Amino acid sequence: VRAPARAPADKLCCTRAAVAEHTGMPLSWARRTLCALGLASPPAAHRRQVVLLACGSFNPPTAAHLRMIEAARDAVEDSGALVVGAYLSPVNDGYRKAGLAPSQHRVAMCQAAAADSQLCMVDAWEAGQPGYVRTLAVMRGLKQRLAVQGCGDDVRVVLVCGADLLASFVRPGVWIPAQLREILGHDHGVVCVTRGDGGEAEAKAAERALRSQGLADAPDSVMVVDDFARSNISSTEVRRALREGDSLRYAVPAPVLEYVCKHGLYGVDQAACARKYRRLSTHDELHSSRG
């Protein structure tokens, strides 16, 4: 059981306004300072600080995306580091994936999904770029923006991913070897969270291959986590359910569903969608309980 206490005042190194300015997210979403995000006992001041980064389409973001971040945090902190924050980084429109909602909507949905999180925020930098951005560039950019805000050069930006992405690391021609070495190096690292669909074996095989090739030298270069709260929720299945009118309550954060309905994303009927996912007011709940 963790009994956290806030980090010392000299560790509070990034102002909300500065975070907003350098990550591109509205000030209302930059509600916490990066270096104050971690909650830990006093010895945590001597632990290396880690910021988690999940890159993806988030088309739309689901409860599984948020759960992946939580599982990654547990694994990293169990290894002795201190997770001080986490970011969702939606890809930009240059990704040209079929059915990809415009980036401004996906950024807004990620912000809605993370609104109640004590850990997650949204980095809109990648989404705002004019063309495809390699993963390492996103990791480097976030690390640089954290350093600008006084968080220090030693903050480690760790990529959070699924088994399919980790497996691609060992496929010839997919990744530039020099960039892969940097992703798995001292300043970064990868936490792969599997979800009970057979991905753990694939991820473990990829980890072994990376270590045998000398690409992952440190114990925390690659961490494979089989989350106990396994979920097969995917954005692809969410879009299908939206088209077919199936309920997505508790599979997708309520604010995200409301946003989808409001803007008619993924071909939904706005009126029908709004009725389906309308959140009850206190008056509605009382009236229903008395009826």
Side-chain angles (χ1 to χ4, degrees):
V1 177
R2 294 180 175 86
R6 285 201 176 277
D10 62 352
K11 297 295 181 181
L12 312 186
C13 51
C14 305
T15 67
R16 291 169 60 193
V19 171
E21 177 184 354
H22 286 271
T23 60
M25 61 183 174
L27 180 59
S28 60
W29 298 106
R31 63 196 179 282
R32 293 164 9 113
T33 64
L34 290 187
C35 292
L37 289 177
L39 300 178
S41 54
H46 306 290
R47 295 154 65 188
R48 189 173 185 188
Q49 295 180 333
V50 169
V51 169
L52 302 175
L53 173 67
C55 300
S57 299
F58 300 107
N59 191 41
T62 72
H65 289 127
L66 299 178
R67 178 60 212 168
M68 180 173 68
I69 293 293
E70 293 293 329
R73 173 171 62 174
D74 284 348
V76 169
E77 295 203 333
D78 287 346
S79 74
L82 172 65
V83 175
V84 296
Y87 279 107
L88 306 179
S89 177
V91 300
N92 60 45
D93 296 336
Y95 194 58
R96 300 187 183 281
K97 187 176 182 179
L100 189 66
S103 59
Q104 68 267 27
H105 288 310
R106 290 181 289 106
V107 168
M109 286 189 287
C110 285
Q111 290 170 337
D116 292 332
S117 172
Q118 296 300 304
L119 181 68
C120 285
M121 293 185 290
V122 180
D123 185 0
W125 179 84
E126 181 183 4
Q129 301 310 300
Y132 173 75
V133 182
R134 289 191 174 274
T135 301
L136 179 57
V138 182
M139 299 174 76
R140 283 174 175 169
L142 180 56
K143 183 174 175 64
Q144 290 167 1
R145 292 191 293 279
L146 296 179
V148 165
Q149 295 315 310
C151 294
D153 294 331
D154 197 43
V155 174
R156 190 167 177 241
V157 175
V158 172
L159 182 68
V160 180
C161 69
D164 52 347
L165 183 67
L166 185 63
S168 74
F169 283 11
V170 295
R171 294 190 195 117
V174 177
W175 293 81
I176 298 172
Q179 293 193 3
L180 198 56
R181 287 184 182 278
E182 185 172 342
I183 288 172
L184 298 171
H186 173 77
D187 287 337
H188 301 297
V190 175
V191 178
C192 174
V193 180
T194 63
R195 55 186 187 183
D197 56 358
E200 185 183 15
E202 183 180 32
K204 286 289 189 182
E207 180 188 7
R208 288 193 297 272
L210 290 168
R211 294 195 184 282
S212 68
Q213 294 168 21
L215 292 171
D217 297 330
D220 58 357
S221 295
V222 181
M223 302 175 67
V224 177
V225 181
D226 186 26
D227 186 17
F228 78 91
R230 298 173 177 177
S231 172
N232 287 323
I233 299 169
S234 70
S235 294
T236 300
E237 286 302 305
V238 166
R239 295 194 300 274
R240 178 202 59 76
L242 285 167
R243 290 193 302 269
E244 297 179 4
D246 296 338
S247 175
L248 286 165
R249 287 190 188 277
Y250 313 114
V252 176
V256 174
L257 290 173
E258 292 173 357
Y259 187 95
V260 169
C261 296
K262 178 180 179 180
H263 295 276
L265 301 181
Y266 310 115
V268 301
D269 180 281
Q270 288 177 269
C273 184
R275 287 193 300 271
K276 190 179 189 70
Y277 296 114
R278 179 177 65 92
R279 283 196 270 190
L280 294 176
S281 67
T282 302
H283 176 271
D284 291 332
E285 291 172 347
L286 289 172
H287 181 76
S288 175
S289 64
R290 290 171 181 171

